[in-house]
Amino acid sequence: MTDGKIPQWKLGQPKDFYSNFVHKRQPVVIQGKLEDLDFVTKNWSNVDYLRETAGDASVKVEPMHKEKKRYGTDVERVDTTFGAFLDSLREEKEEYDYLTTQYSDDEDDMDSEDDDEDNEEKEDGQDNEIKNGTFPQPVRALLRDEVPMRPEMMGNLVLQQMNIWLGKTKAGTSSGLHHDFHDNLYILLKGRKRFVLYPPSAVYHLDTYGKPKKIHPNGLINEADEIRADGLVERDAAALKVQALEEQMDKLEESGEKKGLDKVQKEYGDAVERLMKYQAADFGELGEDDFDEVSSEEESDPEDLKDQVLRDAPNKKRKAEEDLSGSKPSKTAKAGAEDDEDSDANDDDSDAELLEALERAQNGQRDDFDDDEDVSDLEEAFANAQGEDSAFPTEPLSFSQVSTQDLHSHLGLTSTQKTSAALEKAGKPYIVELKAGDMLYLPTSWFHEVTSFSDEKSEDNVHIALNYWFHPPDAQKPEFEKPYADATLWKFMEEKVKGAYEGLIADKED
């Protein structure tokens, strides 16, 4: 519940911001000018600069739903270039496409500057995924040293993604009422926006397409049992933890530092054992030898991080156990592998694939599936997470089925007013008006409906925003330096994101 009036915070110390708002999971309007965003506010609000700098970048834009008259629906997005999209906004028409969230999968079938055949080195699958997923186009083309990977005030939260939101409207267009899975720092660069905000607890009254299984203490709404409070799928977190500890061991061994090595090796062995439980679920109790039979062709083809770790984990576990015990442990016996010739480390029906499908469902990416088999996987993932009787919805799971018209009417934002019993139970929301230069911090899973208005005083008559999504903090104590319970994993992820950012900046300087 809210009192209907959102807090305002004048720029101060990042630690104060963390303790007063991030840790307390409290939305806030931020007043003042962030010095480290000065370049962004001056240049990314300029359409000519955007076109000149990133016009060739491949993007997907979203048409408005013809009946619902809003964005954030199942309407298939359109492939184009950023420059062509900006040019389309010059045309006189009733409805315009909208540049919204860009997913890393969007770039698989697109030509971009990153696919240049003249590149002498190829990044491995994980680094490429982090680069594309965290800094999608057109952000990647716009990155400069003057653009911060993370504004200083956000402290030690790990970046999940940067996005540009750009559109044009005459009378105001709606995003639909929904929640996101990450903490959000929203910077309005041009135009104006009105946010309607409900807390995560309102999920039980807002009739979302996905059924909430639980709400984590940090507010994250969980639509599948496998999602942790920091937003990671349990199985993916296990794979990442193995790799993080492996890297930590390698650094200790290279430095010759023995202090602490035994502890890390023990933790590593425990982490691999945990990961192997997911192997058993994925591969039908296959033994260690089965994972060594992956073909050299598969090994040479960069795979997703979690698949790499799954293939390597048994050998790494033996190495860790040898280091600890000084002897070579006996091999795990095969369990049913000979009876199942179809078992394979890349089985399309594995839990990993289904969880990936569920993540796409949460993000509303059903339109990216190309064949019936992929759609079948998606529907199976949804049924596994939500219950066998649950039919897969056409809309993203995090969206409310309350229409924009009913929401606005209930809140008195339209000339026609009609009270909604469900919205009455949801409580009194914050209604926040932002103008160019304003910022909003929104913790994970806070529901928001955003109505965007163009800057009618400017020649291009558009609205532009930049947002930073961060992995939600889940540490029980308000520690600014360590916002995550799994400090080892998130230090590892921070280094990966930072490496991707610095690599992109270095490429621009060459």
Side-chain angles (χ1 to χ4, degrees), residues 187-453:
I187 303 111
L188 186 56
L189 302 174
K190 198 165 195 173
R192 60 188 178 92
K193 305 255 183 178
R194 181 184 63 217
F195 284 74
V196 176
L197 308 178
Y198 286 95
S201 57
V203 66
Y204 301 108
H205 307 294
L206 295 180
D207 194 19
T208 52
Y209 287 96
K211 298 176 184 177
K213 289 293 188 74
K214 66 180 290 187
I215 300 177
H216 286 288
N218 65 351
L220 179 68
I221 296 173
N222 194 350
E223 286 143 348
D225 293 330
E226 300 88 354
I227 308 297
R228 308 193 325 175
D230 57 10
L232 291 180
V233 176
E234 288 280 5
R235 183 187 181 285
D236 291 348
L240 287 168
K241 188 63 172 286
V242 167
Q243 192 176 18
L245 289 166
E246 177 191 347
E247 186 172 287
Q248 195 172 344
M249 284 194 304
D250 289 344
K251 289 180 179 178
L252 288 171
E253 290 171 351
E254 289 174 6
S255 67
E257 184 179 342
K258 298 297 183 181
K259 185 178 180 181
L261 181 58
D262 289 348
K263 181 180 178 181
V264 175
Q265 287 176 331
K266 177 64 169 65
E267 189 177 357
Y268 178 74
D270 293 341
V272 175
E273 288 221 6
R274 178 174 176 78
L275 180 58
M276 290 181 73
K277 292 180 180 179
Y278 292 102
Q279 291 177 344
D282 285 343
F283 310 127
E285 302 292 339
L286 293 183
E288 292 176 0
D289 290 346
D290 298 286
F291 294 98
D292 296 331
E293 296 174 2
V294 179
S295 70
S296 59
E297 180 180 354
E298 288 173 327
E299 290 291 347
S300 63
D301 183 20
E303 294 287 338
D304 193 313
L305 163 64
K306 56 194 175 191
D307 293 326
Q308 291 178 355
V309 175
L310 278 174
R311 290 199 299 271
D312 295 342
N315 289 331
K316 296 183 187 302
K317 181 175 185 294
R318 285 198 293 270
K319 180 180 183 299
E321 289 175 342
E322 289 172 24
D323 290 339
L324 287 170
S325 64
S327 62
K328 190 171 184 177
S330 60
K331 291 185 177 181
T332 303
K334 295 183 181 180
E338 296 177 357
D339 298 329
D340 187 3
E341 295 180 357
D342 294 330
S343 294
D344 184 85
N346 293 310
D347 188 346
D348 288 339
D349 294 326
S350 70
D351 286 349
E353 296 290 343
L354 296 181
L355 285 171
E356 181 178 351
L358 176 61
E359 290 181 66
R360 291 196 185 196
Q362 289 175 326
N363 292 327
Q365 289 178 272
R366 185 173 186 169
D367 61 292
D368 292 333
F369 284 88
D370 296 326
D371 54 48
D372 293 339
E373 183 178 352
D374 287 335
V375 172
S376 176
D377 283 350
L378 185 62
E379 291 174 342
E380 184 176 351
F382 184 78
N384 287 345
Q386 296 275 285
E388 293 183 2
D389 297 332
S390 300
F392 189 86
T394 58
E395 305 285 356
L397 307 187
S398 59
F399 271 70
S400 168
Q401 297 184 59
V402 175
S403 71
T404 299
Q405 292 78 10
D406 288 348
L407 176 67
H408 288 180
S409 177
H410 173 78
L411 297 175
L413 300 175
T414 60
S415 56
T416 303
Q417 297 187 25
K418 182 179 179 181
T419 301
S420 162
L423 291 175
E424 280 290 314
K425 293 179 181 178
K428 190 175 183 180
Y430 292 133
I431 299 179
V432 183
E433 299 278 354
L434 296 184
K435 62 182 184 302
D438 288 343
M439 293 174 287
L440 173 68
Y441 166 68
L442 199 60
T444 183
S445 291
W446 269 76
F447 282 87
H448 49 290
E449 183 272 332
V450 188
T451 303
S452 302
F453 301 89

Side-chain angles (χ1 to χ4, degrees), residues 480-501:
F480 176 79
E481 290 78 12
K482 296 180 180 179
Y484 300 101
D486 197 338
T488 300
L489 186 156
W490 286 108
K491 181 181 179 182
F492 169 77
M493 288 303 297
E494 166 74 7
E495 291 173 352
K496 289 293 182 182
V497 173
K498 185 177 180 181
Y501 169 80

